[in-house]
Amino acid sequence: MKSIPHHQAASPHTEATSTHNYPNLTDDDGKAPKDSVVLPAYSTMDLVDKDPDEDDPWNLPELQDTGLKWSELDAKGKVMRVLTSIVKFILLVGFLYMFVCSLDVLSSAFQLVGGKAAGDIFQDNAVLSNPVAGLVIGVLVTVLVQSSSTSSSIVVSMVSSGLLEVQSAVPVIMGANIGTSVTNTIVAMMQAGDRNEFRRAFAGATVHDFFNWLSVLILLPLEAATGVLYKLTKIVIDSFNIQGGDNAPDLLNVITDPLTSAIIELDKTVISDIATGDPAARNKSLIKIWCKTENITTLLNITVPSAANCTIGVPCWVEGNKTWTQINVTETINLERCNHIFAYANLPDLAVGLILLALSLLILCTCLILIVKLLNSMLKGQVAVVIKKVLNTDFPFPFGWVTGYIAILVGAGMTFIVQSSSVFTSAITPLVGIGVISLERAYPLTLGSNIGTTTTAILAAMAAPGETLANSLQIALCHFFFNIAGILLWYPIPFTRIPIRLARALGNRTANYRWFAAIYLLLCFFLMPLTILGLSLAGWQALVGVAVPIVVLAIFIIIVNLMQTRCPRYLPSRLRNWDFLPRPLHSMAPWDGVIMSGMAFCGTRCCCCCKCCQKTEDEEKGGKERKKSQEMYDNPALTRDNEPLEAPKETISKCLVMWLIMHNCKLMGTVDWLPRVSCAPML
């Protein structure tokens, strides 16, 4: 005889009661059917603990329109709504303009703070011959100057002057491609106030990082072993008779230059001169003082030891006991002083850079917050539906796969218009955060942005002088083909879109531990490149001796993690989880406690800013607890006998569910596994 599980057993009295209380369980004659069963009872705590909105935080939020519909407005209301929408749109454009200008000023600030250091980094040609060192130098220099175009122009100057070979410059260009993604990662950190917005925004920013790092992980060893990018671009350069052209068109700069030029103007040739070894450039200031100058070349008579020291073709004569010759002397005459606010300030570059850094970050954060607020207020109702459908909907079957490639072209075109991948990716990051653009759609837009910034570099290279045209264009083409190869590796096949999965995992981690975002930023863009650079300076033996064990350990951990989730039975029992390690080595919870304690100490002893953050966090948690507590007290199954019951406020569907659960709980009240405290008021 088959035994009935304990939680399914029921007495005859229970069955009779169940058929009496559940008319839907009886047949037409009023008798219980033979196959009728008693529905299992569940604790109503599950209804409270499970919030349907928190099931999948990656779902795009619905931006509901809480105002009146257009048809319900009178004439005055319609006019006010139109005027309000126009004002909001003008404010949005204005804040977006300030946001882009603040990014430009931020780049200038980083160049003032670390520009000369970037030039010094490029001077060691022996280190640049190491591909790994060249890669991290490209990352560090681009992070310091906040512009891949500037770091690429330094590389072009070094190649043109013969200090660096094109083949050695390819890893530096790869590093510049990585370093340029730090800007939108910083922008994403400004949305840390809302947990889910931060989750999506940080994932939307770091999907760019993961694409660049994974592409370098594959293509850098391939380039070091075969020189495939160098050979491919060499064939392209030799196959076409490429002539120099006009400069790349200034599109966005025409709009932003009036404001940014009034704040600061830089002489970017100083960094290139330092990198190429000009000793006079070290004493020059990066701040441009004279905006209009004129070079006058004159012949100057000088004495030389003998006629053998005279240049062929130049007049040389003897007067008395002296031998004279002539040389060309170029003198720069300053005609017009610049009009920016630091042109008359007698401050060092570092002081001006720190002032601009603080100012630009303040404006950047303020504009970003206001842009997000305005977008949240504007993207409601039908507007939100239309925008989401346009941005996130695929083409109908069987052309759904084309949508992603259209997004790549859109990203490339928009980046070409704004002439900066940092500006474009930083602009879409808050849109990903508030849920207007999905992570799956932001990924191809970011890939297109990588292509767009290389086309701008190609046009700029074609405007180079004849003696540097070939080298400049070859470096720009190396950058272009590197991004094309990365897209072919990590986009066409859905299974290979690993950057999306990695960015989503990092977004979940940073949403739970928001301090980890700062750790990630420092580790990937500063500490790790600096460590690798230091090991490279010590020699390739030190680099290999330290890097190889770390890489092997990382590969082992990745393989074990994959096997733990997919096929743990093939692992030894000890490796089926990481519990045998000390908890700080496999969990962030202990570190979170330490950091939160430090922030609490900061809040009580150092500043009131942390107090406000802590208060906001406590209020958020307290609100959820009060909501949950209120739901439990609204549930009669969880109230005590001496507490008054509050009037139910649930909808009809919730009332029906609660009615079924209460009666089922009443039926199963004698079973041991059901908590009696939840059923006592009903028995």
Side-chain angles (χ1 to χ4, degrees):
M1 180 176 178
K2 187 176 180 181
S3 61
I4 301 176
H6 182 64
H7 67 278
Q8 292 181 359
S11 63
H13 173 71
T14 304
E15 286 190 28
T17 310
S18 64
T19 57
H20 175 73
N21 290 331
Y22 295 97
N24 58 325
L25 296 180
T26 61
D27 56 14
D28 296 336
D29 299 332
K31 297 180 181 180
K34 295 181 180 180
D35 57 347
S36 63
V37 294
V38 178
L39 295 176
Y42 298 99
S43 173
T44 53
M45 286 293 293
D46 291 339
L47 297 179
V48 178
D49 291 336
K50 294 181 180 179
D51 189 352
D53 296 334
E54 295 181 357
D55 288 343
D56 188 4
W58 294 100
N59 288 335
L60 297 183
E62 293 294 334
L63 301 174
Q64 306 266 343
D65 190 0
T66 56
L68 294 175
K69 294 182 179 179
W70 177 263
S71 58
E72 298 175 355
L73 294 173
D74 55 8
K76 181 180 178 181
K78 291 180 179 179
V79 171
M80 289 301 297
R81 178 167 292 187
V82 171
L83 291 177
T84 303
S85 300
I86 293 174
V87 171
K88 286 182 178 180
F89 179 76
I90 294 173
L91 287 175
L92 181 64
V93 173
F95 289 137
L96 187 60
Y97 175 77
M98 294 296 296
F99 175 77
V100 174
C101 291
S102 66
L103 288 175
D104 195 349
V105 175
L106 181 68
S107 174
S108 300
F110 273 104
Q111 291 181 54
L112 286 170
V113 172
K116 291 186 177 180
D120 291 333
I121 292 175
F122 272 124
Q123 274 191 314
D124 197 341
N125 300 329
V127 176
L128 287 173
S129 61
N130 182 348
V132 178
L135 173 74
V136 297
I137 284 175
V139 175
L140 289 171
V141 170
T142 307
V143 169
L144 286 174
V145 300
Q146 283 286 290
S147 172
S148 59
S149 300
T150 301
S151 55
S152 299
S153 64
I154 296 173
V155 174
V156 170
S157 300
M158 295 184 66
V159 171
S160 301
S161 60
L163 296 176
L164 189 66
E165 296 180 355
V166 175
Q167 196 162 3
S168 300
V170 175
V172 182
I173 296 299
M174 294 182 182
N177 208 58
I178 294 174
T180 192
S181 63
V182 70
T183 307
N184 58 323
T185 307
I186 296 174
V187 170
M189 294 180 66
M190 307 304 171
Q191 289 183 265
D194 183 271
R195 193 177 298 275
N196 280 334
E197 279 190 16
F198 185 48
R199 185 196 313 270
R200 291 188 293 265
F202 202 77
T206 54
V207 72
H208 194 186
D209 304 346
F210 285 118
F211 169 77
N212 289 330
W213 282 110
L214 289 174
S215 299
V216 164
L217 193 64
I218 301 296
L219 296 176
L220 181 63
L222 184 65
E223 174 66 20
T226 63
V228 58
L229 291 177
Y230 170 76
K231 293 176 182 177
L232 179 62
T233 53
K234 184 68 175 174
I235 292 172
V236 173
I237 295 295
D238 294 340
S239 300
F240 297 94
N241 184 20
I242 301 174
Q243 302 293 332
D246 297 329
N247 289 325
D250 288 332
L251 301 175
L252 186 67
N253 290 342
V254 174
I255 304 173
T256 58
D257 275 350
L259 178 60
T260 56
S261 299
I263 298 174
I264 189 68
E265 286 190 68
L266 300 184
D267 185 3
K268 297 182 180 180
T269 59
V270 174
I271 303 176
S272 300
D273 292 342
I274 293 175
T276 53
D278 185 1
R282 191 171 298 278
N283 297 323
K284 293 182 180 178
S285 173
L286 279 168
I287 302 173
K288 186 181 287 187
I289 305 298
W290 299 95
C291 288
K292 189 175 181 180
T293 59
E294 183 179 354
N295 294 328
I296 298 177
T297 303
T298 57
L299 288 174
L300 181 66
N301 296 333
I302 61 170
T303 59
V304 291
S306 64
N309 300 107
C310 295
T311 305
I312 299 175
V314 177
C316 185
W317 66 95
V318 178
E319 289 185 3
N321 296 328
K322 296 181 180 180
T323 303
W324 293 83
T325 187
Q326 292 182 333
I327 60 170
N328 291 325
V329 177
T330 301
E331 183 181 3
T332 301
I333 299 177
N334 300 320
L335 300 178
E336 184 179 342
R337 202 178 185 97
C338 296
N339 293 322
H340 59 85
I341 59 178
F342 292 100
Y344 297 92
N346 191 18
L347 293 174
D349 288 359
L350 180 60
V352 175
L354 292 176
I355 293 171
L356 290 177
L357 185 63
L359 177 66
S360 58
L361 284 176
L362 177 63
I363 297 175
L364 181 72
C365 298
T366 305
C367 290
L368 184 62
I369 292 171
L370 294 174
I371 287 171
V372 171
K373 295 290 185 184
L374 278 174
L375 287 174
N376 278 327
S377 65
M378 294 174 66
L379 299 178
K380 292 181 179 180
Q382 285 299 114
V383 179
V385 172
V386 171
I387 291 178
K388 284 187 178 182
K389 282 186 177 180
V390 170
L391 294 178
N392 301 309
T393 304
D394 294 336
F395 286 114
F397 181 83
F399 302 105
W401 58 273
V402 180
T403 313
Y405 297 97
I406 298 296
I408 291 176
L409 294 177
V410 170
M414 293 299 296
T415 305
F416 178 78
I417 291 174
V418 301
Q419 292 195 330
S420 173
S421 60
S422 299
V423 170
F424 177 72
T425 54
S426 299
I428 67 172
T429 295
L431 297 178
V432 177
I434 65 176
V436 176
I437 301 177
S438 65
L439 180 60
E440 287 73 14
R441 185 64 73 242
Y443 180 52
L445 288 172
T446 301
L447 301 186
S449 176
N450 279 353
I451 299 296
T453 192
T454 57
T455 56
T456 304
I458 291 173
L459 290 176
M462 293 184 69
E467 63 273 12
T468 63
L469 175 62
N471 292 332
S472 303
L473 191 56
Q474 188 172 1
I475 292 172
L477 287 175
C478 285
H479 196 182
F480 175 76
F481 285 117
F482 168 75
N483 284 303
I484 291 292
I487 291 174
L488 294 177
L489 281 173
W490 308 116
Y491 188 76
I493 305 174
F495 176 76
T496 61
R497 295 171 189 174
I498 301 175
I500 295 179
R501 296 196 289 273
L502 293 177
R504 185 174 277 116
L506 183 61
N508 288 330
R509 182 57 57 91
T510 52
N512 294 330
Y513 307 102
R514 280 178 263 195
W515 51 265
F516 186 72
I519 301 296
Y520 166 82
L521 193 67
L522 292 174
L523 183 65
C524 287
F525 294 102
F526 292 98
L527 297 181
M528 188 170 71
L530 283 173
T531 302
I532 296 175
L533 180 61
L535 292 173
S536 301
L537 293 174
W540 67 269
Q541 296 91 344
L543 179 63
V544 172
V546 174
V548 169
I550 294 176
V551 171
V552 171
L553 179 61
I555 294 174
F556 172 76
I557 293 173
I558 292 171
I559 293 174
V560 172
N561 277 330
L562 291 175
M563 293 183 68
Q564 284 177 350
T565 56
R566 299 188 179 184
C567 49
R569 61 184 181 277
Y570 295 112
L571 287 172
S573 58
R574 190 171 182 81
L575 286 178
R576 291 178 183 176
N577 55 59
W578 299 109
D579 292 341
F580 65 92
L581 293 174
R583 195 156 180 258
L585 294 182
H586 65 88
S587 173
M588 285 192 176
W591 300 103
D592 185 61
V594 173
I595 293 177
M596 290 298 105
S597 300
M599 292 179 66
F601 177 81
C602 171
T604 55
R605 300 293 180 88
C606 303
C607 64
C608 62
C609 179
C610 297
K611 288 184 180 179
C612 299
C613 299
Q614 186 68 27
K615 182 178 179 182
T616 304
E617 187 76 17
D618 292 341
E619 288 177 353
E620 179 183 351
K621 292 181 179 178
K624 291 183 178 179
E625 291 296 328
R626 286 193 297 271
K627 179 182 176 183
K628 184 179 294 187
S629 176
Q630 183 65 33
E631 290 181 7
M632 284 193 280
Y633 280 113
D634 287 344
N635 182 2
L638 296 177
T639 57
R640 298 185 182 274
D641 294 335
N642 57 353
E643 291 178 349
L645 297 179
E646 296 181 2
K649 299 179 181 179
E650 294 84 4
T651 60
I652 296 176
S653 59
K654 283 189 176 181
C655 288
L656 179 59
V657 171
M658 294 298 296
W659 182 80
L660 290 173
I661 291 176
M662 285 189 292
H663 281 274
N664 199 16
C665 184
K666 181 177 180 181
L667 296 175
M668 301 296 291
T670 57
V671 183
D672 293 336
W673 63 270
L674 187 67
R676 287 184 175 275
V677 64
S678 63
C679 299
M682 296 181 293
L683 292 176

